[in-house]
Amino acid sequence: MTLQLFPLLPLLLLARLPATRPAPPTCYSRMLALSREITSDFQSLQATEPSEVCVGYLPRLYLDIHNYCVLAKLRDFVASPQCWKVAQVDALKDKVRKLYTIMNSFCRRDLVFLSDDCSALEYPVLVTTVLPDHQS
């Protein structure tokens, strides 16, 4: 019986150990992931909280960390007095506050703003796929 298990032993050991250790998140990757999470949470909040009228009055949160206006957008959202009794909004404001702190303090040097179009942050970003030209 032990002879039959011997060929499986290396496979079991390899399956248990990860091939490579993941790299720790960089400032940029953390900002990008948190901004996407906030945008997603905001969209789901709008979809699931129609009974809370205050959600409709919150500033919109369609974040692009490469847009200079995002800092003002984050400040406005945290300072908005609407929905101060709604737990999901409080949790979202905590995430927004965290992103603002990361962007304004810890990762300030890693951030590059490519735009300052404040109106672009009012609507969700439409992702389009462009097929590459196949030239002969």
Side-chain angles (χ1 to χ4, degrees):
M1 176 130 177
T2 56
L3 292 175
Q4 293 173 349
L5 291 176
F6 184 70
L8 297 176
L9 185 62
L11 290 175
L12 292 173
L13 291 175
L14 287 176
R16 190 146 188 219
L17 297 174
T20 60
R21 293 183 180 222
T26 62
C27 265
Y28 178 77
S29 65
R30 180 66 181 133
M31 287 185 296
L32 191 60
L34 191 53
S35 70
R36 288 178 178 162
E37 183 179 339
I38 289 169
T39 299
S40 173
D41 288 354
F42 178 72
Q43 289 173 336
S44 65
L45 177 70
Q46 283 185 319
T48 60
E49 291 291 332
S51 62
E52 294 292 338
V53 178
C54 64
V55 172
Y57 296 108
L58 287 170
R60 294 180 181 168
L61 277 181
Y62 302 111
L63 303 180
D64 174 10
I65 63 169
H66 302 105
N67 187 329
Y68 183 74
C69 297
V70 75
L71 293 171
K73 177 64 79 174
L74 295 172
R75 276 193 313 265
D76 291 347
F77 188 82
V78 170
S80 67
Q82 288 85 7
C83 297
W84 60 274
K85 290 184 181 181
V86 179
Q88 293 91 347
V89 175
D90 286 341
L92 187 58
K93 283 186 177 188
D94 286 342
K95 287 182 185 179
V96 169
R97 200 174 290 115
K98 181 189 285 187
L99 178 60
Y100 181 81
T101 302
I102 291 170
M103 290 179 76
N104 211 24
S105 301
F106 303 115
C107 301
R108 182 177 219 144
R109 289 174 288 180
D110 296 345
L111 198 55
V112 176
F113 296 113
L114 304 175
S115 150
D116 62 353
D117 181 10
C118 296
S119 64
L121 298 176
E122 293 297 316
Y123 304 99
V125 176
L126 299 175
V127 178
T128 58
T129 305
V130 178
L131 299 174
D133 273 335
H134 294 288
Q135 295 178 356
S136 314

